[in-house]
Amino acid sequence: MNPEVAATVDLDVHSIRADFPILNVQPYGQHLAYFDNAATTQKPQVVIDTLTQFYEQFNSNVHRGVHYLSQHATEAYEKSREIVRRFLNARSTAEIVFVRGTTEALNLLATTFGKLLQPGDEILISMMEHHSNLVPWQILAKEKDLKLKYIPITETGELDLDTFERLLSDRTRVVSVVHASNSLGTVNPIEKIIELAHQNDIPVIIDGAQAVAHISVDVQSLDADFYVFSGHKIYGPTGIGVLYGKERWLDRLPPYQAGGDMIKRVTLEETTYNVLPYKFEAGTPNIAGAVGLGVALEYVQNIGLSKIARYEMQLLEYATRAVEEIPGLRIIGTADQKIGVLSFVMDYTHPHDIGTILDQAGVAIRAGHHCTQPVMDFFGVEGTARASFAVYNTPEEIDQMVKALWQVYQLFGQ
Amino acid sequence: MEPIRDLYQQVLLEHYKHPHNYGHLEHPTHQADGDNPLCGDHIHLELQVENDTIVDVKFSGMGCAISKASASIMTQVIKGKSIEEVKQLADLFYQIVKGETDVPEAPSSDLEELFIFSGVHDFPTRVKCATLAWHTLENALKQS
Ligand SMILES: Cc1ncc(COP(=O)(O)O)c(C=O)c1O
């Protein structure tokens, strides 16, 4: 390992890498440097095994059967909810709703919150939101004649908090912001945002999709009203995610989808809704996925989130210094507080050409607008190339990427 | 040749850096926009058609090297050709990028540059970049 990084690492990356079978894939016969972790992370063997084991030994529906298998499936599903509760330090498992992912959680919130809002009410989000925390509110605002306002961003890719304060009005009904930006890497000061919103009695939704794998979250000390994330970005399966909501808020919101499991009693005239969190879990959930997510969270906690974060910061600093040497390369997103996301443009190459050249060198990055077109517009770029780091990445892989970036320079920049 | 050098041949890079027929026409008779949402490529194509012949053509927009070079080369190749010929060229081009036609030993000189896109078929995610200009052309010609 690169001595510079190795000197300060207290994490055995080689044994961690051995937990991830996919890292043995060799694209075009080369070592795979997987730097598309902000899109989705790879899965450790324990998570893969959990899914198989579930279908081999526990598979059955939850909360519905009196039989042996159903009891075991229900237990595993509910145990996972408890793991999530502890992971977020929520007060109660009633506040942990399993959903399909961040997108579904945000749509659930926009739709159900929407039922409580009146024409002229205001929703405040930021300019750095992922489309999934923007489009649902835009649709809602059109439908119900609400005002959608945006917290602006600065040249370094940080939220402009002074303007945020001024945008809070007596018509603001909800604030929804991203904890860590997927296209810039910025970690937003959500404590401050929540505090300011609460001074005006406004509830706050936090999109934690990019944050949870890198920052430990305590929803009680943050005093977040809602916190949502996807399992697949924290080494868990796809198709499972979490909506945390304070009990009193989840009580106030109407149900989202209707069907089985979310009801207590149905007659032909009316329905009594089930208790939390089941009121928001209509239909058969992704049971295996939920169980797999619990195992993924335990995997992360066994390594230690703060250790992971420190390691990733070293990778980010190492990569940042190396790419800054390349002529015509500009980093987009230079906030003080960042997760391991390195977004950049090269002024003589389109991001997709960078992506293709890196791919041929075995390096997987993302190129494009990253579902944050307003951010791209703000920085005046069509898209960026983005390398995003996870616990299993190494400094050698960064060298592999940097070498390919020099090749881009040779092809296009000279 | 390394696949990457085969894809980004010198001719392609030249067209990317210095595209031909880039800009706008005074009086286009046909125009169309094309988007490739995957890449964010966008092209605007303007044609001047007289007596079923493309007498002039210009394009504008932003995109990756492959889409831009493809548009630049396309505008060169189609200028002066009849609509019928152009449609055949589009079909030929689709075959080239899908690797469905052999690269001739000595292609006629005005078509030669189309064959530099034969490397694209090794990069399935980039085929749409190469064909964007040609699809946009077909859409433009559908208007009358
Ligand atoms: C910040 C942010 N929010 C929301 C999402 C949407 O997550 P998902 O696609 O898992 O629903 C993403 C994923 O790209 C993201 O990065």
Side-chain angles (χ1 to χ4, degrees):
Chain A
M1 174 172 304
N2 181 295
E4 235 178 305
V5 176
T8 41
V9 168
D10 50 356
L11 172 140
D12 184 358
V13 66
H14 293 289
S15 86
I16 288 171
R17 289 182 64 82
D19 295 335
F20 290 82
I22 206 168
L23 298 179
N24 296 319
V25 170
Q26 299 201 318
Y28 322 107
Q30 318 217 36
H31 174 93
L32 167 67
Y34 184 79
F35 290 146
D36 197 15
N37 296 291
T40 197
T41 53
Q42 299 303 344
K43 322 303 174 201
Q45 191 70 53
V46 279
V47 169
I48 299 168
D49 288 347
T50 300
L51 298 181
T52 313
Q53 194 195 28
F54 179 83
Y55 286 115
E56 284 180 355
Q57 299 175 23
F58 298 99
N59 180 50
S60 109
N61 215 321
V62 286
H63 308 230
R64 290 185 191 178
V66 290
H67 57 77
Y68 177 88
L69 285 180
S70 177
Q71 268 180 43
H72 279 278
T74 306
E75 259 169 40
Y77 183 67
E78 292 303 328
K79 180 179 160 226
S80 201
R81 198 190 305 276
E82 169 58 19
I83 295 170
V84 175
R85 184 200 68 74
R86 261 186 281 135
F87 184 78
L88 295 176
N89 191 33
R91 206 178 302 267
S92 134
T93 49
E95 300 177 318
I96 306 296
V97 179
F98 282 123
V99 290
R100 198 156 60 83
T102 309
T103 303
E104 187 176 58
L106 292 167
N107 275 276
L108 184 158
L109 289 171
T111 306
T112 56
F113 241 103
K115 303 238 164 82
L116 309 179
L117 302 183
Q118 304 302 322
D121 282 348
E122 295 173 7
I123 299 158
L124 186 49
I125 65 174
S126 88
M127 265 178 57
M128 70 166 83
E129 297 312 313
H130 188 274
H131 293 166
S132 62
N133 196 24
L134 193 165
V135 183
W137 300 111
Q138 224 170 36
I139 292 173
L140 177 69
K142 279 227 173 74
E143 248 171 38
K144 299 209 65 171
D145 201 13
L146 312 171
K147 274 204 198 107
L148 180 57
K149 293 188 166 175
Y150 296 92
I151 309 166
I153 54 182
T154 66
E155 287 298 324
T156 53
E158 292 166 291
L159 291 182
D160 172 353
L161 280 196
D162 292 337
T163 309
F164 168 64
E165 257 193 282
R166 268 181 279 122
L167 286 173
L168 288 169
S169 82
D170 59 357
R171 292 304 301 267
T172 312
R173 293 292 174 259
V174 61
V175 170
S176 189
V177 290
V178 69
H179 192 169
S181 156
N182 63 312
S183 51
L184 299 167
T186 313
V187 177
N188 289 317
I190 56 167
E191 305 78 0
K192 187 82 193 148
I193 289 169
I194 292 170
E195 189 190 318
L196 290 169
H198 283 181
Q199 283 169 11
N200 296 271
D201 289 324
I202 302 161
V204 181
I205 299 167
I206 303 291
D207 168 359
Q210 292 297 337
V212 284
H214 316 284
I215 302 167
S216 58
V217 171
D218 179 332
V219 289
Q220 290 191 66
S221 75
L222 283 173
D223 203 19
D225 300 282
F226 300 94
Y227 194 99
V228 302
F229 70 92
S230 302
H232 70 97
K233 293 186 200 277
I234 180 163
Y235 311 106
T238 53
I240 187 74
V242 171
L243 161 68
Y244 159 82
K246 278 184 189 162
E247 204 162 339
R248 72 185 167 86
W249 272 111
L250 292 179
D251 274 334
R252 272 188 69 186
L253 296 180
Y256 177 50
Q257 292 180 330
D261 274 340
M262 54 79 69
I263 48 87
K264 206 180 251 166
R265 189 181 153 70
V266 180
T267 66
L268 292 182
E269 288 74 35
E270 63 173 4
T271 297
T272 324
Y273 302 131
N274 205 341
V275 293
L276 293 175
Y278 309 109
K279 172 176 142 190
F280 292 102
E281 289 185 3
T284 302
N286 181 356
I287 309 166
V291 179
L293 172 60
V295 172
L297 296 182
E298 286 181 331
Y299 179 82
V300 166
Q301 285 179 316
N302 285 340
I303 301 173
L305 249 182
S306 55
K307 234 187 207 183
I308 295 175
R310 249 179 293 140
Y311 178 62
E312 290 169 346
M313 278 309 99
Q314 288 164 12
L315 292 178
L316 177 67
E317 280 163 27
Y318 180 61
T320 303
R321 258 183 284 130
V323 303
E324 276 172 349
E325 309 260 310
I326 300 168
L329 186 147
R330 175 160 67 108
I331 294 174
I332 304 290
T334 48
D336 260 352
Q337 299 290 318
K338 277 178 73 171
I339 52 166
V341 165
L342 185 65
S343 229
F344 58 91
V345 292
M346 294 168 94
D347 56 22
Y348 36 80
T349 323
H350 188 278
H352 276 90
D353 297 309
I354 302 175
T356 292
I357 292 167
L358 265 55
D359 174 54
Q360 287 292 303
V363 181
I365 60 152
R366 172 91 183 264
H369 55 60
H370 317 293
C371 302
T372 55
Q373 277 183 345
V375 174
M376 301 298 119
D377 291 345
F378 177 80
F379 285 98
V381 296
E382 301 158 57
T384 71
R386 178 190 71 187
S388 50
F389 307 124
V391 63
Y392 39 68
N393 291 132
T394 66
E396 288 80 3
E397 292 176 334
I398 289 171
D399 295 341
Q400 188 181 343
M401 172 177 81
V402 171
K403 189 170 158 223
L405 287 173
W406 278 103
Q407 196 188 4
V408 174
Y409 170 66
Q410 279 151 16
L411 267 176
F412 285 88
Q414 291 184 325
Chain B
M1 209 181 323
E2 267 184 275
I4 210 73
R5 298 264 172 197
D6 196 24
L7 179 65
Y8 295 108
Q9 292 181 32
Q10 209 49 46
V11 182
L12 186 144
L13 293 175
E14 279 308 313
H15 276 278
Y16 172 55
K17 291 173 193 170
H18 310 287
H20 297 223
N21 300 309
Y22 195 84
H24 296 279
L25 292 177
E26 291 272 310
H27 303 292
T29 54
H30 296 66
Q31 44 187 316
D33 289 282
D35 284 290
N36 176 1
L38 176 76
C39 278
D41 295 336
H42 174 84
I43 174 181
H44 176 72
L45 189 70
E46 298 175 355
L47 303 171
Q48 195 181 333
V49 179
E50 282 167 21
N51 303 325
D52 280 346
T53 298
I54 295 175
V55 296
D56 207 355
V57 48
K58 288 226 189 288
F59 82 100
S60 55
M62 321 215 277
C64 63
I66 296 166
S67 71
K68 209 164 192 175
S70 175
S72 170
I73 290 170
M74 179 189 82
T75 57
Q76 279 192 319
V77 170
I78 64 171
K79 213 187 268 192
K81 297 255 183 347
S82 74
I83 291 180
E84 230 6 79
E85 284 174 301
V86 160
K87 283 181 179 158
Q88 284 168 11
L89 285 172
D91 289 336
L92 171 67
F93 187 77
Y94 300 146
Q95 285 175 359
I96 292 172
V97 293
K98 287 187 203 142
E100 288 169 0
T101 183
D102 292 331
V103 181
E105 287 289 320
S108 70
S109 62
D110 68 329
L111 299 187
E112 198 178 341
E113 291 196 332
L114 294 183
F115 286 95
I116 67 170
F117 291 95
S118 61
V120 174
H121 89 270
D122 285 328
F123 299 85
T125 56
R126 307 306 299 277
V127 168
K128 283 211 168 92
C129 309
T131 56
L132 178 64
W134 289 90
H135 287 304
T136 311
L137 171 66
E138 290 187 302
N139 282 338
L141 290 174
K142 272 187 203 137
Q143 319 164 329
S144 46

